[in-house]
Amino acid sequence: MSFPALHIEIVGTQEPDVVLLHGWGVNNAVFSPLKNALHQYRVHYVDLPGFGLSPNIDGDMTQWVQALAQQLPKNAIWIGWSLGGLLATKVAIDFPDSVSALVTLASSPCFMTRDANDALPAWPGILPAVLGQFSTQLNRDLPRTVERFLAIQAMGSDNAKADISQIKQLVLSKPMPSRQALAQGLTMLEEVDLREQLCQLQQPWLRMWGKLDGLVPRRIIKQMPQANNITDVIVNKASHAPFISHTDEFLHNLLPWLTKYQQ
């Protein structure tokens, strides 16, 4: 199956390839603070379907993941923030030859809070009412909905106002995301649950968390798989966007790990 070509900005020429996937409501410009630090790699800054300069792709996570795997190089290091981390995780599970190593930033295999069932324990996450509000507001005031979500990204950090200003400036330099893409992304955040598939991940996996994150509570770490290929890092004063609010500390942890696992 073929898909419309996504907008992918490639910076640098030296392998290994690094893929960066942004979160809901934004676009690849949100990673601008990292460009200088990643100059020694060939970095693929992706606009997810319907975000930034990328066209919509119909369907659900399955179609998005297939499109990403088709249009990005094999054997790359994938870095995904928030919703982007969920997508990168699914690519690593379904297309393991695409992902040589995985980094998830403030991301969860299941964003919505879940009650316990016969197979899995209760899971902390976003309350259904919170995502429900975003869904309702999408049809009323798209710019305000996205702005509100961006404000939550930096909530709790030392530099919340500056973080919000920086994120907004970067994101608004590109077109607003389409309503279709925003709705698709919210559905993924509401419905996707990869917890039972995480045991399939064999790649080196760096998981970075913000201690003050209001969307992905750090207590989920205790319920996540633990193995020799997995490293957890908590950025103590960060919220949901540690690569923006605490860039130096974030890079201090990320860059040595990338050097260790690049092929």
Side-chain angles (χ1 to χ4, degrees):
M1 183 175 181
S2 61
F3 298 95
L6 297 173
H7 177 76
I8 302 170
E9 181 184 355
I10 302 173
V11 178
T13 59
Q14 187 172 337
E15 293 184 340
D17 291 288
V18 174
V19 173
L20 278 171
L21 302 183
H22 61 80
W24 185 88
V26 294
N27 51 60
N28 73 28
V30 81
F31 290 122
S32 295
L34 305 182
K35 285 190 174 178
N36 287 339
L38 296 176
H39 67 89
Q40 71 270 40
Y41 301 101
R42 184 164 59 210
V43 186
H44 304 254
Y45 294 90
V46 180
D47 278 342
L48 292 176
F51 292 89
L53 300 176
S54 283
N56 289 320
I57 289 179
D58 294 335
D60 56 18
M61 175 179 264
T62 299
Q63 283 69 45
W64 282 29
V65 164
Q66 288 175 353
L68 290 166
Q70 281 183 15
Q71 297 183 34
L72 288 154
K74 306 292 185 188
N75 200 37
I77 299 170
W78 287 55
I79 303 174
W81 170 49
S82 196
L83 173 62
L86 187 69
L87 290 161
T89 300
K90 186 62 172 168
V91 174
I93 293 168
D94 290 355
F95 301 94
D97 59 334
S98 290
V99 183
S100 64
L102 175 66
V103 182
T104 53
L105 315 176
S107 191
S108 173
C110 177
F111 277 83
M112 185 80 85
T113 187
R114 294 283 197 276
D115 294 329
N117 57 38
D118 292 340
L120 294 165
W123 182 259
I126 305 172
L127 295 174
V130 174
L131 287 180
Q133 287 173 0
F134 284 126
S135 183
T136 300
Q137 291 168 0
L138 280 180
N139 294 318
R140 295 180 181 171
D141 191 338
L142 177 60
R144 186 178 177 187
T145 301
V146 173
E147 184 172 335
R148 179 167 173 249
F149 191 79
L150 291 174
I152 291 176
Q153 312 287 6
M155 192 168 55
S157 78
D158 283 348
N159 311 299
K161 288 186 178 180
D163 297 343
I164 296 165
S165 176
Q166 184 179 13
I167 295 172
K168 282 175 59 179
Q169 183 178 0
L170 292 168
V171 167
L172 295 178
S173 66
K174 287 192 169 189
M176 290 293 290
S178 72
R179 292 181 184 275
Q180 175 181 324
L182 288 166
Q184 287 170 302
L186 278 181
T187 298
M188 293 176 204
L189 295 175
E190 291 170 354
E191 298 180 358
V192 172
D193 185 350
L194 301 182
R195 285 178 290 168
E196 292 188 279
Q197 299 178 44
L198 296 181
C199 60
Q200 300 175 41
L201 287 171
Q202 301 299 315
Q203 299 94 328
W205 184 9
L206 173 63
R207 305 185 302 216
M208 299 188 71
W209 316 88
K211 187 175 182 179
L212 305 179
D213 195 337
L215 295 176
V216 180
R218 70 183 187 280
R219 64 183 183 274
I220 72 172
I221 299 173
K222 294 181 179 179
Q223 297 188 42
M224 296 280 283
Q226 303 294 328
N228 291 334
N229 62 312
I230 296 171
T231 304
D232 285 301
V233 172
I234 299 174
V235 183
N236 284 325
K237 295 184 178 181
S239 181
H240 193 59
F243 61 95
I244 287 180
S245 62
H246 296 77
T247 307
D248 290 345
E249 184 178 352
F250 169 80
L251 290 170
H252 178 75
N253 288 283
L254 175 67
L255 294 178
W257 190 90
L258 290 178
T259 300
K260 181 179 178 181
Y261 287 111
Q262 69 187 52
Q263 295 183 358

